Amino acid sequence: MRIGILTAGGDCPGLNAVIRGAGRRLLREGHEPIGLRRGYRGLAHADHMTLDHPALSGLLPMGGTILSTSSYDPFRHDDGPQRVRDAMARKDVDAVIAIGGEHTMEITRELHAQLDLPVVGVPKTIDNDIVGTDRTFGFDTAVHVATEAIDRLHSTAQSHDRVMVVEVMGRNAGWIAVMAGIAGGADGILVPEVDVTVEELAANIRRRHDRGKDFSIIVVSEGARLAFADGSSRKVRASDDTDEYGYERLGGIGAALAKELEEATGYETRVVVLGHIQRGGTPTASDRILATRYGVAAADAVLDGAFGTMVALDGSEITRIPLSDVVGVKPVDLRLLELAKTFF
Amino acid sequence: MRIGILTAGGDCPGLNAVIRGAGRRLLREGHEPIGLRRGYRGLAHADHMTLDHPALSGLLPMGGTILSTSSYDPFRHDDGPQRVRDAMARKDVDAVIAIGGEHTMEITRELHAQLDLPVVGVPKTIDNDIVGTDRTFGFDTAVHVATEAIDRLHSTAQSHDRVMVVEVMGRNAGWIAVMAGIAGGADGILVPEVDVTVEELAANIRRRHDRGKDFSIIVVSEGARLAFADGSSRKVRASDDTDEYGYERLGGIGAALAKELEEATGYETRVVVLGHIQRGGTPTASDRILATRYGVAAADAVLDGAFGTMVALDGSEITRIPLSDVVGVKPVDLRLLELAKTFF
Amino acid sequence: MRIGILTAGGDCPGLNAVIRGAGRRLLREGHEPIGLRRGYRGLAHADHMTLDHPALSGLLPMGGTILSTSSYDPFRHDDGPQRVRDAMARKDVDAVIAIGGEHTMEITRELHAQLDLPVVGVPKTIDNDIVGTDRTFGFDTAVHVATEAIDRLHSTAQSHDRVMVVEVMGRNAGWIAVMAGIAGGADGILVPEVDVTVEELAANIRRRHDRGKDFSIIVVSEGARLAFADGSSRKVRASDDTDEYGYERLGGIGAALAKELEEATGYETRVVVLGHIQRGGTPTASDRILATRYGVAAADAVLDGAFGTMVALDGSEITRIPLSDVVGVKPVDLRLLELAKTFF
Amino acid sequence: MRIGILTAGGDCPGLNAVIRGAGRRLLREGHEPIGLRRGYRGLAHADHMTLDHPALSGLLPMGGTILSTSSYDPFRHDDGPQRVRDAMARKDVDAVIAIGGEHTMEITRELHAQLDLPVVGVPKTIDNDIVGTDRTFGFDTAVHVATEAIDRLHSTAQSHDRVMVVEVMGRNAGWIAVMAGIAGGADGILVPEVDVTVEELAANIRRRHDRGKDFSIIVVSEGARLAFADGSSRKVRASDDTDEYGYERLGGIGAALAKELEEATGYETRVVVLGHIQRGGTPTASDRILATRYGVAAADAVLDGAFGTMVALDGSEITRIPLSDVVGVKPVDLRLLELAKTFF
């Protein structure tokens, strides 16, 4: 069999480890893995890449994806579905392993349902918010990078008696904020799932000062809302804002929150937006292992003919779940947020 | 209530995070945590230490244990049990949280059974081999450190066309070797649970050379055995060996294996023994989170009166299991070793 | 003698190592180091702190400053000079070691000149732009952190065929941008010392694409100017900008440059502003050594009565230079920028 | 011109950065760099490798050397000199850039003197002991790795009230031991240049205990000697020792010193031998910059016809010195060792 492997959506530490895992398993079983470049675009436009032993060598510690990625969706192009049908008719590939996030799993589900594409999904997001799996690769790396940054910011906060606001990734779910917040010893955490008012955060910060702690670290998800005691709240998104020259701005919720906290507490407040460094670079050992397990399991699922499924982690076990179950967003475990509050 | 916290056995990244987690939870609930210094010795000899807010501050990223540790076992001292009874009679503490490994859990079980000590255990070992819990804190850090070392050794192996043998911790179980082996892309893994002969390892290395890969990385647990095709095998332990001056030697199984592989393959072979750097220093984000969860859970177990239990991880959940169930060694999941073989 | 040690201005990795170095040397020679808290404010307001052996223990790897810092300038307070005179009259301290940046050295020079304060300066800035010394501690750490971030961004840039703009610190000099640019393999570098037009940067990026390199990394100092082929140029500073709610924005030159490059090249462009993570956290080995050398040398200068001087690095040697020579900004070595261009 | 680049001797972080620096400079100036594989063997045996833009891409952060390395010395092979002459006669290359350590510079000097080989040397050693240059690339990385290890060992030492002996590289000079010792806060340092007796080290350790410091870190160069108060001393080298099965042992001076210190002080003592992890893996930012500067400067020297020279660092400047001046070993700066003693 010739099996196409593709990566779609935002890049994520561990993508190359999945490609290697699936590719090496397929080679070992006597099959031919090939790379489809730039997500489903590579399938639709027959943009292929050899995945032999040399091509699969050295990938484990490497960030990004050697297959490149895009958010190409065949259903959004008039000729997309037909191109996919043609690729299958031409026997470009006998099956596909699609590594991607929620949106990619949606496309994958429809390609399987509507076009009968023989496909297995691998869940990918640094946000850890894909339904049906306990953990996604890339998440541990993002938490690791964010925690290292918080460690570094602690000394600045402490030396200057400052409040530091750290904006981390997480548009729809607060996993990175909560986990990095616990690991970094945050004094306040703001996530998309739960509104916490500026007044509550400010009260915590003042309480710390009264106990002799002149500095505080607040971690906030990019998708969190700015809420106030009067019941008002709103999203603050960087992309909404441009300056007089039309320049896009960083500093959505993080910058807004810093401003409000400085006003509410009277303490000097600074903001750091971690941004893309959370999603690039070498994966942690833990993410390399999970990505390798997913890659090998996806190859096995293809060899078993278990199409229309996504590999997933359930406790310590790798399982397969129907793509039709992968719908919506997995919110952060609120018990972890409760745990974090022990230390506010 | 006054609750004593102690750390016993070898040090482990995350000990301070457990102490902080338990201590802060107890303070928040209006109780008084105190430190018992150097394991159960601190209980028997009334060697105490204040654990107020300042003492618990800054502990999260800190390796080691502020309480110091020892392997003191009250049952091995004639006056030990009586000293423990006296401490309880004096109301030195109302309950104890004991953080330690397999041997500490054994002592803890007996103190609970024989002396009715109101105690909750927290499992600790970088080896990940405690029965009853999916993961112990410190393990992720050990795997992280070992994987970074393997990453560094790759370039030397490759530049010199060498075989590198990396000896990692793991006296009774191969968890670190298997996980770091998968994460580091090892070309052979040797663990205490399964004998692999020198001849098999050598055959794999030669096969790699035939494919054009002039270097190999072999990861070996310190507790693995040296086995040969003729069926003979033996332990090689550093501590058995001394030189003419009586100097203890490093280089148990790792050095022995390197020698045998060099002879069997004809390729230049070197050994690195990672040793204590695997167990010291700042814990990974993941270990800080697990240690914090264990600490808070142990405090909650004390407050619930759930004595004679050990907190544990079951999938994503923190649970409590009877100390009487914590017997023996949890061997490495052999399916992970199978997975690793995909890449040999 | 009782010698006051103070840290002033922005925090910087290595401050604690200087404090430890000076303090331990003074203790060893039989003198009494004390901490003056929050810069010169601690001298003026008699806010002292013991610096005995326990207080000086564990400082070497620790970021920030245990003495806290501020930008308090006695000459900007009506009672400032008199307070300093009073402190000296009271014999609060016999001499002062002042660790700080350009502005602190200015104050120190005037305190020595006008009030005859017996003081020795230690140069501190992550920007490396203090005149009279080859290198300042904190700089190597800032370059290290920025280089690690660029390494991480490479994989994202490559996977997405993107241009990534990385804004690093450096208000008046481009040292961090040039050094991290060379170490990270940047494809363009923009510094305050030299205007490079958007059109030139865009031409380089397009040339790379023509050679098959679909991604580029551009490193820019926060103090660089946005320049255009028509000869116009301007500063873009985050602090000038606020949105409709009055929130300060990140994204000065970095965000502006990203926007202009995206328009000029047609390639997707993203920006990361590293901000405070460059100045916090544990110092590199190299910075710990330099800071320790400075600290010990400052203590020796005090003991030699060499007041009115600043310790400095000249090649491999620690020297003393008159504070009166420490004027202005040390621009980046343009030969290093030329070197970097070899790889554009 | 076609210029051959080779790497010889032990591998070292930054080798690939030198290759890239020289190669890119030569390409830019319109010349043709080629790789000579496995040191001078590649010149003698015409084992070449293309060094075009794709081959030179991605090298900056990569440890090891893409050219492979060996200690092949043409003068130790009967046909060696003639093979080199033939290669030059065949115009295999017009000039050579030889990157290597003291021994490689010796060979290079002789090839230039005896065979008139047009060659430029680049000094390489993690030990920093090459005469004529202030610093060699790879050294900062080795110190960084050793310092991180010492940081990790501190917590173990402290938790267990132990003495930890850390054996670092340095056969002939104590640079790594002194610099990592200062950066890691060592309580004793032993180098090849100066004998310190076991009794003196033990007295220091006991003095620390008397001051309430129950743990100590001793850093020792692999080439240091074991010395005693009675005036006796000896080298302890791992390679001298084999066990009953003929297995080579780790644990030369480090293990011997640990044993002697444990006996002399009565404190539990452990040893860690860092070994090869000091010389592999990604170079620090500082080493990448130095290696890049050396590479570009070596290319420039070739283009200037400055054969028979070695590029070197003098303060902040890159210079060229005659290979004939590169003789012997550069001992560690004893003033740095004095500095370190401030903290013993």
Side-chain angles (χ1 to χ4, degrees), chain A residues 20-21 24-25 28 53 57 60-61 134 140 143-144 147 151 179 182-185 211 213 285-286 288-289 292-293 296 315-317 335-336 339 341-344, chain B residues 20-21 24-25 28 53 57 60-61 134 140 143-144 147 151 179 182-185 211 213 285-286 288-289 292-293 296 315-317 335-336 339 341-344:
Chain A
R20 170 183 176 266
R24 291 287 297 269
R25 178 63 128 213
R28 196 159 194 113
H53 263 104
S57 187
L60 198 49
D134 281 358
D140 187 66
V143 170
H144 169 80
T147 302
D151 280 359
M179 296 301 247
I182 294 174
R211 286 199 322 239
K213 294 279 203 176
S286 175
R288 295 186 197 180
I289 295 165
T292 298
R293 293 177 74 188
V296 170
S316 307
E317 306 291 316
R335 291 170 303 177
L336 292 172
L339 180 86
K341 288 185 188 169
T342 303
F343 306 94
F344 290 174
Chain B
R20 171 184 177 264
R24 291 288 297 270
R25 178 64 129 213
R28 195 157 194 117
H53 263 104
S57 186
L60 198 49
D134 281 358
D140 188 65
V143 171
H144 169 80
T147 301
D151 280 358
M179 296 301 248
I182 294 174
R211 286 201 320 242
K213 294 280 203 175
S286 175
R288 295 185 196 179
I289 295 165
T292 299
R293 294 177 74 187
V296 170
S316 308
E317 307 291 316
R335 291 170 303 177
L336 291 172
L339 180 84
K341 289 185 188 167
T342 304
F343 306 94
F344 290 174

Side-chain angles (χ1 to χ4, degrees), chain C residues 20 24-25 28 57 60 147 151 179 182-183 185 213 285 288-289 292 317 335 339 341-344, chain D residues 20 24-25 28 57 60 147 151 179 182-183 185 213 285 288-289 292 317 335 341-344:
Chain C
R20 169 184 177 267
R24 291 288 296 271
R25 178 64 129 213
R28 195 159 195 116
S57 186
L60 198 49
T147 301
D151 280 358
M179 296 300 249
I182 294 174
K213 293 280 202 175
R288 295 185 197 181
I289 295 164
T292 298
E317 306 293 316
R335 292 171 303 178
L339 180 85
K341 288 185 188 168
T342 304
F343 305 94
F344 290 174
Chain D
R20 170 184 176 264
R24 290 288 297 271
R25 178 63 128 214
R28 197 162 192 111
S57 187
L60 198 49
T147 302
D151 280 358
M179 296 300 247
I182 294 174
K213 295 280 203 175
R288 294 185 198 180
I289 294 164
T292 298
E317 305 293 316
R335 293 171 302 178
K341 288 184 187 167
T342 304
F343 306 94
F344 290 174

Side-chain angles (χ1 to χ4, degrees), chain A residues 137-159:
Chain A
F137 64 90
F139 173 58
D140 187 66
T141 304
V143 170
H144 169 80
V145 169
T147 302
E148 278 201 342
I150 295 172
D151 280 359
R152 288 203 171 270
L153 295 173
H154 250 111
S155 57
T156 294
Q158 197 156 7
S159 303

Side-chain angles (χ1 to χ4, degrees), chain D residues 297-318:
Chain D
D300 287 344
V302 164
L303 298 180
D304 289 351
F307 300 116
T309 63
M310 181 183 83
V311 296
L313 184 72
D314 179 10
S316 307
E317 305 293 316
I318 300 290

Side-chain angles (χ1 to χ4, degrees), chain B residues 280-340:
Chain B
T282 193
T284 58
S286 175
D287 272 339
R288 295 185 196 179
I289 295 165
L290 182 59
T292 299
R293 294 177 74 187
Y294 276 159
V296 170
D300 287 344
V302 164
L303 299 179
D304 289 351
F307 300 117
T309 64
M310 181 183 84
V311 296
L313 184 72
D314 179 10
S316 308
E317 307 291 316
I318 301 289
T319 59
R320 297 169 190 167
I321 62 169
L323 276 166
S324 51
D325 290 357
V326 186
V327 177
V329 164
K330 181 182 72 173
V332 68
D333 184 339
L334 292 179
R335 291 170 303 177
L336 291 172
L337 187 56
E338 276 309 306
L339 180 84

Side-chain angles (χ1 to χ4, degrees), chain D:
Chain D
M1 281 210 290
R2 186 190 297 153
I3 292 102
I5 303 176
L6 65 85
T7 54
D11 76 326
C12 183
L15 282 170
N16 282 324
V18 179
I19 296 165
R20 170 184 176 264
R24 290 288 297 271
R25 178 63 128 214
L26 291 169
L27 284 175
R28 197 162 192 111
E29 301 294 325
H31 299 283
E32 182 194 359
I34 65 164
L36 306 174
R37 304 192 70 237
R38 298 200 168 82
Y40 276 114
R41 208 183 170 288
L43 179 63
H45 288 263
D47 187 2
H48 300 170
M49 176 176 158
T50 302
L51 288 183
D52 53 9
H53 263 104
L56 294 171
S57 187
L59 297 191
L60 198 49
M62 200 187 286
T65 162
I66 54 164
L67 302 178
S68 293
T69 180
S70 79
S71 50
Y72 176 90
D73 176 350
F75 296 108
R76 295 203 184 163
H77 295 259
D78 287 346
D79 61 348
Q82 189 55 45
R83 280 180 170 278
V84 170
R85 270 188 218 102
D86 292 349
M88 301 310 296
R90 277 195 313 265
K91 295 274 180 197
D92 279 7
V93 292
D94 297 295
V96 171
I97 293 173
I99 313 165
E102 192 206 341
H103 182 55
T104 301
M105 289 305 117
E106 244 181 79
I107 298 170
T108 301
R109 186 170 60 232
E110 293 310 305
L111 286 171
H112 179 67
Q114 298 183 25
L115 307 188
D116 209 27
L117 187 76
V119 63
V120 168
V122 177
K124 167 220 65 107
T125 165
I126 62 160
D127 288 349
N128 200 38
D129 62 356
I130 291 186
V131 166
T133 184
D134 282 358
R135 195 152 65 83
T136 49
F137 64 89
F139 173 58
D140 188 66
T141 305
V143 172
H144 169 79
V145 169
T147 302
E148 278 201 342
I150 296 172
D151 280 358
R152 289 203 169 271
L153 297 171
H154 249 111
S155 56
T156 294
Q158 197 157 8
S159 304
H160 287 275
D161 306 343
R162 265 185 197 158
V163 179
M164 298 293 293
V165 173
V166 188
E167 184 183 314
V168 299
M169 284 187 165
R171 248 174 231 189
N172 303 308
W175 286 100
I176 295 177
V178 170
M179 296 300 247
I182 294 174
D187 307 302
I189 298 175
L190 200 54
V191 298
E193 288 89 344
V194 184
D195 280 353
V196 180
T197 66
V198 166
E199 289 82 355
E200 287 173 84
L201 288 168
N204 276 349
I205 292 167
R206 274 194 304 264
R207 188 150 30 84
R208 276 176 59 81
H209 276 245
D210 295 345
R211 285 200 323 239
K213 295 280 203 175
D214 294 337
F215 66 96
S216 295
I217 303 271
I218 308 296
V219 181
V220 54
S221 306
E222 60 180 326
R225 297 152 56 87
L226 197 63
F228 296 92
D230 65 7
S232 69
S233 72
R234 67 171 182 284
K235 285 264 184 188
V236 185
R237 286 287 277 280
S239 50
D240 305 338
D241 305 315
T242 50
D243 71 3
E244 58 179 312
Y245 300 103
Y247 299 144
E248 189 181 334
R249 298 295 177 65
L250 294 181
I253 179 65
L257 185 61
K259 177 89 184 314
E260 296 289 352
L261 288 176
E262 185 161 288
E263 280 183 11
T265 62
Y267 304 128
E268 195 181 42
T269 306
R270 291 286 183 276
V271 61
V272 173
V273 179
L274 292 186
H276 291 276
I277 59 170
Q278 291 163 90
R279 70 180 324 133
T282 194
T284 59
S286 176
D287 272 339
R288 294 185 198 180
I289 294 164
L290 182 58
T292 298
R293 293 177 74 188
Y294 276 159
V296 170
D300 287 344
V302 164
L303 298 180
D304 289 351
F307 300 116
T309 63
M310 181 183 83
V311 296
L313 184 72
D314 179 10
S316 307
E317 305 293 316
I318 300 290
T319 59
R320 296 169 190 167
I321 62 170
L323 276 166
S324 51
D325 289 359
V326 185
V327 176
V329 164
K330 181 182 70 173
V332 70
D333 184 339
L334 291 179
R335 293 171 302 178
L336 291 173
L337 187 56
E338 277 310 305
L339 180 85
K341 288 184 187 167
T342 304
F343 306 94
F344 290 174

